[in-house]
């Protein structure tokens, strides 16, 4: 039986005697026998959390926290260095801001400050929005398909009035509609 208890700084693991320990989860652990159980204490708490690269790549807030921890940079220093409020950095790193609403410029500044590729904290939607003239893209895609605005909006399941605002550049294209358009483009 394995129990893990996460405390402020240390991670404790209780094993029954004779259990094998997983390689790489606990660095520099100290094992102590206590009445049929082994108590293992390790200072490497955060590092073992991201053995699964897929989990690390899924969430922007997880990548931000991981990189900050790895670089040993507190959020107030990043906030000061890139010119954003400490609370904003906290909201991004704790997942309080939906990813589609995250500021691409801020994500890029944070990535560069932490020594990563400028788009490291951005998902495909962010990269598209940062590097594409969206109104021009929408017009060209619609014209290639030979559709009116009404037909194109209907095919993408976007309300017509909203689509017109996206094509004219008045409103930012939401991620859910961007995904629908990418599916249309593929198929």
């Amino acid at each position: 039986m394995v129990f893990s208890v996460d405390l402020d700084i240390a991670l404790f693991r209780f094993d029954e005697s004779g259990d094998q320990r997983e390689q790489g989860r606990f660095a520099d652990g100290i094992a102590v026998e206590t009445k049929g159980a082994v108590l293992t204490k390790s200072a490497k708490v955060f590092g073992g959390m991201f053995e699964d690269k897929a989990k690390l790549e899924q969430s922007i807030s997880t990548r931000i926290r991981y990189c900050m921890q790895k670089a040993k940079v507190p959020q107030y220093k990043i906030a000061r260095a890139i010119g954003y409020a400490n609370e904003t950095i906290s909201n991004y790193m704790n997942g309080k801001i939906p990813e589609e609403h995250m500021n691409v410029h801020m994500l890029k500044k944070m990535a560069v400050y932490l020594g990563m590729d400028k788009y490291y904290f951005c998902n495909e939607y962010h990269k598209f929005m940062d590097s594409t003239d969206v109104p021009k893209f929408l017009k060209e895609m619609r014209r290639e398909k030979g559709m009116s605005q009404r037909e194109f909006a209907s095919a993408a399941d976007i309300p017509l009035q909203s689509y017109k605002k996206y094509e004219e550049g008045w409103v930012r294209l939401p991620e859910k509609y961007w995904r629908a358009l990418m599916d249309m483009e593929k198929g």
Side-chain angles (χ1 to χ4, degrees):
M1 212 186 306
V2 177
F3 299 94
S4 293
V5 180
D6 188 7
L7 298 177
D8 289 339
I9 298 174
L11 181 69
F12 295 91
R13 177 177 158 183
F14 297 93
D15 291 347
E16 291 189 20
S17 294
D19 280 355
Q20 292 181 341
R21 288 176 184 56
E22 290 182 42
Q23 293 283 334
R25 282 199 62 169
F26 299 96
D28 304 318
I30 302 167
V32 180
E33 280 290 334
T34 59
K35 294 189 181 184
V38 176
L39 173 65
T40 305
K41 178 181 174 184
S42 173
K44 186 176 180 181
V45 175
F46 202 83
M49 290 173 62
F50 297 105
E51 292 174 12
D52 183 2
K53 277 254 190 219
K55 280 186 180 178
L56 179 59
E57 296 301 320
Q58 285 177 0
S59 164
I60 292 172
S61 60
T62 303
R63 287 192 303 248
I64 292 170
R65 284 193 318 272
Y66 176 75
C67 289
M68 287 174 61
Q69 178 68 25
K70 188 175 171 187
K72 297 180 179 164
V73 178
Q75 71 187 42
Y76 77 90
K77 281 191 178 179
I78 290 176
R80 189 179 317 143
I82 67 172
Y84 286 87
N86 192 29
E87 183 179 357
T88 303
I89 301 297
S90 175
N91 288 339
Y92 274 55
M93 65 186 276
N94 292 312
K96 292 182 179 176
I97 306 292
E99 289 187 5
E100 81 172 89
H101 297 295
M102 290 183 173
N103 180 314
V104 176
H105 184 67
M106 182 181 139
L107 293 172
K108 290 181 352 183
K109 286 176 85 172
M110 197 179 317
V112 170
Y113 180 80
L114 292 170
M116 306 303 288
D117 174 71
K118 73 177 181 177
Y119 285 118
Y120 183 72
F121 297 131
C122 298
N123 59 28
E124 292 304 312
Y125 169 71
H126 293 131
K127 292 175 192 175
F128 175 84
M129 296 303 287
D130 190 52
S131 62
T132 305
D133 180 350
V134 176
K136 183 178 176 183
F137 171 82
L138 292 172
K139 285 176 194 169
E140 288 176 3
M141 186 176 175
R142 179 175 58 80
R143 288 180 180 151
E144 282 175 11
K145 296 198 178 285
M147 297 179 166
S148 68
Q149 285 184 332
R150 181 179 306 280
E151 293 168 331
F152 190 74
S154 177
D157 201 25
I158 301 172
L160 178 60
Q161 291 306 315
S162 297
Y163 176 79
K164 287 180 178 182
K165 291 176 185 176
Y166 307 141
E167 190 175 286
E168 292 170 8
W170 292 106
V171 179
R172 180 179 169 175
L173 179 69
E175 186 173 6
K176 69 179 181 177
Y177 296 140
W178 171 77
R179 290 193 186 287
L181 292 170
M182 294 300 104
D183 289 343
M184 274 179 63
E185 191 173 52
K186 290 177 189 173

